[in-house]
């Protein structure tokens, strides 16, 4: 409805995950790097967690869109599956006949399928979405499926995508064997204010926006405050804002226009119950400054302690060091992925040459 009014070719803020609209924030880049690294290793589990709407499924879809033909992908979204139901669903997603079969029959069929894939130089990948819904015994069944191996390499690799509730499940004492097979994990955080602005403009550009000034700075600030940087909430609110602008015939959208939409949808959509991290930090600072010299008690900020009980005096210094270390690790992972992919291509060429020579013999 509003697309032609704002010179757009398509709707930029659809709720359905679309790899073509994948926006790589810092945390999303890291998650994608871990997924690619996991693929290059061809073993172990990769775990990606994040709050509702932070883009886990979009990352998975983007990965699947880039996967080479030598990897067969099955993508399942899990309700509370029992171990038997999981095995049946995995087999059916790989298009295997499971009708009237027992669990033992299905496991045998699945094993043969995986071995046949391996003989052709291919392998299987299982993407498990909403994995926090899986009971412990079903997650353990996933680990058992990874025991299908040939020449020391697993024939089935699994990536788990889930909400934050998945983390304590995997920390359970009886999940130690599963944890030992996790090669990487990452938690998706909401977007920052600057990333929220970049996210909105990225999707607009991808939908044909010509780059003319459409939103004011205070509009971006109010969008961020209301959505708290969660991509799905941004999409929902932005769709309503653009519709409002079209109906009101607005060429630019400022803070007042955004507030009008927020007032309309706050009860039917979402309303933050707690302040954003930036707001809470500002409140703490104001309270501290107001209490200095007044004798009014002020709740001290939480102290950061080492495992041995020593207080860390200069927390900001260590935060900066940790941030630099994380960036360095991200770069190292990226370089290792590229190197592994290069070596993998060389090995595939050698394997094809070997097969051709054997056929000639």
């Amino acid at each position: 409805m509003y697309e032609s009014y704002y010179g757009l070719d398509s709707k930029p803020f659809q709720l359905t995950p679309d790899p073509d609209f994948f926006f790589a924030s810092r945390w999303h880049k890291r998650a994608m790097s871990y997924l690619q690294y996991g693929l290059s290793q061809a073993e172990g589990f990769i775990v990606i967690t994040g709050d509702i709407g932070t883009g886990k499924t979009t990352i998975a879809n983007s990965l699947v869109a880039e996967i080479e033909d030598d990897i067969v992908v099955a993508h399942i979204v899990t309700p509370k599956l029992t171990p038997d139901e999981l095995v049946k669903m995995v087999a059916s997603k790989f298009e295997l006949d499971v009708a009237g079969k027992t669990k033992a029959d299905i496991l045998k069929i699945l094993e043969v399928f995986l071995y046949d894939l391996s003989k052709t130089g291919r392998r299987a990948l299982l993407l498990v979405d909403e994995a926090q819904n899986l009971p412990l015994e079903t997650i353990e069944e996933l680990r058992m499926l990874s025991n299908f191996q040939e020449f020391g390499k697993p024939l089935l690799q699994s990536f788990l995508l889930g909400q934050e509730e998945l983390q304590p499940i995997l920390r359970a004492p009886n999940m130690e064997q599963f944890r030992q097979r996790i090669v990487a994990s990452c938690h998706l955080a909401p977007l920052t204010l600057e990333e929220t602005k970049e996210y909105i403009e990225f999707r607009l550009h991808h939908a044909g926006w010509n780059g003319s000034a459409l939103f004011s700075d205070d509009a971006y600030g109010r969008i961020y405050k209301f959505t708290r940087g969660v991509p799905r909430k941004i999409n929902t609110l932005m769709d309503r804002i653009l519709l409002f602008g079209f109906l009101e015939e607005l060429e630019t959208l400022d803070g007042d226009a955004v507030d009008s939409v927020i007032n309309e949808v706050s009860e039917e959509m979402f309303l933050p119950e707690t302040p954003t991290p930036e707001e809470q930090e500002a409140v703490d600072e104001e309270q501290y400054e107001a209490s200095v010299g007044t004798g009014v008690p002020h709740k001290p900020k939480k102290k950061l302690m080492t495992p041995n009980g020593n207080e860390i005096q200069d927390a900001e210094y260590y935060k900066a060091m940790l941030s630099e270390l994380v960036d360095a690790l991200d770069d190292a992972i990226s370089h290792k992925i590229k190197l592994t992919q290069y070596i993998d291509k060389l090995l595939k060429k050698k394997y094809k040459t070997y097969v051709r020579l054997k056929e000639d013999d």
Side-chain angles (χ1 to χ4, degrees):
M1 184 179 291
Y2 56 73
E3 295 93 288
S4 59
Y5 182 78
Y6 287 112
L8 304 175
D9 302 326
S10 60
K11 292 189 69 173
F13 298 102
Q14 296 186 88
L15 293 180
T16 305
D18 186 344
D20 290 337
F21 281 85
F22 174 65
F23 172 77
S25 72
R26 179 181 179 183
W27 289 104
H28 289 79
K29 285 179 182 177
R30 182 176 303 166
M32 182 61 78
S33 293
Y34 284 158
L35 290 174
Q36 292 171 338
Y37 174 74
L39 273 182
S40 67
Q41 296 301 296
E43 63 180 348
F45 291 88
I46 300 288
V47 179
I48 305 295
T49 58
D51 293 335
I52 297 172
T54 49
K56 301 180 294 297
T57 303
T58 303
I59 286 179
N61 290 346
S62 299
L63 178 76
V64 170
E66 297 176 1
I67 282 179
E68 298 180 6
D69 294 337
D70 62 340
I71 300 178
V72 179
V73 182
H75 189 176
I76 64 175
V77 180
T78 61
K80 294 185 181 296
L81 296 174
T82 66
D84 291 2
E85 290 170 338
L86 175 75
V87 170
K88 190 172 184 178
M89 177 173 283
V90 170
S92 63
K93 286 293 183 177
F94 283 119
E95 299 182 354
L96 303 177
D97 182 15
V98 298
K101 304 288 194 306
T102 65
K103 180 181 178 181
D105 293 335
I106 296 173
L107 285 173
K108 185 60 181 177
I109 294 171
L110 185 58
E111 183 179 14
V112 171
F113 167 75
L114 295 174
Y115 276 115
D116 289 344
L117 271 184
S118 180
K119 289 177 181 177
T120 61
R122 306 166 76 196
R123 58 191 177 92
L125 172 66
L126 178 64
L127 288 174
V128 183
D129 210 344
E130 301 295 341
Q132 78 281 349
N133 292 326
L134 291 175
L136 288 177
E137 60 270 19
T138 306
I139 295 178
E140 177 63 12
E141 188 71 37
L142 277 176
R143 185 186 70 81
M144 297 301 293
L145 290 178
S146 70
N147 287 333
F148 289 134
Q149 297 185 8
E150 186 176 36
F151 306 122
K153 278 286 188 179
L155 300 175
L156 176 66
Q157 186 179 19
S158 298
F159 290 176
L160 272 61
L161 311 173
Q163 296 173 28
E164 193 168 359
E165 295 91 326
L166 178 61
Q167 295 184 6
I169 294 173
L170 298 182
R171 293 193 190 104
N174 57 341
M175 295 299 292
E176 176 62 26
Q177 285 186 302
F178 186 91
R179 287 195 297 273
Q180 290 180 2
R181 298 195 184 187
I182 297 177
V183 296
S185 64
C186 182
H187 182 73
L188 289 180
L191 305 177
T192 64
L193 172 59
E194 185 59 33
E195 287 174 336
T196 297
K197 180 179 179 180
E198 293 173 358
Y199 174 84
I200 291 171
E201 293 184 350
F202 169 83
R203 295 188 74 108
L204 286 171
H205 276 297
H206 204 77
W209 179 50
N210 60 13
S212 59
L214 184 55
F215 290 92
S216 63
D217 288 339
D218 63 331
Y220 285 117
R222 296 180 196 193
I223 292 168
Y224 171 72
K225 181 179 179 181
F226 190 65
T227 63
R228 306 185 70 185
V230 176
R232 188 181 300 166
K233 292 181 178 180
I234 295 172
N235 289 355
T236 304
L237 181 62
M238 284 298 304
D239 190 61
R240 293 287 289 266
I241 290 173
L242 291 174
L243 177 60
F244 174 84
F246 164 69
L247 295 175
E248 296 294 325
E249 299 182 354
L250 301 176
E251 294 184 2
T252 58
L253 296 155
D254 57 15
D256 291 338
V258 172
D259 282 343
S260 296
V261 177
I262 289 174
N263 290 335
E264 288 180 3
V265 302
S266 59
E267 292 187 2
E268 63 185 79
M269 289 171 50
F270 43 83
L271 189 61
E273 297 178 357
T274 57
T276 63
E278 291 85 352
E279 291 174 327
Q280 186 60 54
E281 185 176 349
V283 169
D284 290 342
E285 189 66 28
E286 288 178 4
Q287 290 177 347
Y288 174 75
E289 292 177 356
S291 67
V292 172
T294 65
V296 178
H298 173 70
K299 183 178 180 180
K301 294 182 179 179
K302 184 178 180 181
K303 294 181 180 180
L304 294 177
M305 309 294 291
T306 68
N308 293 329
N310 298 316
E311 181 181 351
I312 299 175
Q313 299 294 336
D314 191 355
E316 293 303 320
Y317 170 74
Y318 290 107
K319 287 181 181 178
M321 287 184 61
L322 181 60
S323 179
E324 292 177 4
L325 177 60
V326 168
D327 289 339
L329 289 173
D330 284 347
D331 290 339
I333 290 174
S334 179
H335 290 312
K336 188 167 184 178
I337 290 170
K338 292 179 181 178
L339 178 60
T340 305
Q341 290 173 339
Y342 174 72
I343 294 174
D344 188 50
K345 289 181 180 179
L346 288 180
L347 290 175
K348 287 178 181 178
K349 288 181 180 179
K350 287 190 175 183
Y351 177 76
K352 291 178 180 178
T353 302
Y354 170 77
V355 171
R356 188 171 62 253
L357 291 174
K358 290 288 288 183
E359 291 175 348
D360 291 341
D361 291 342

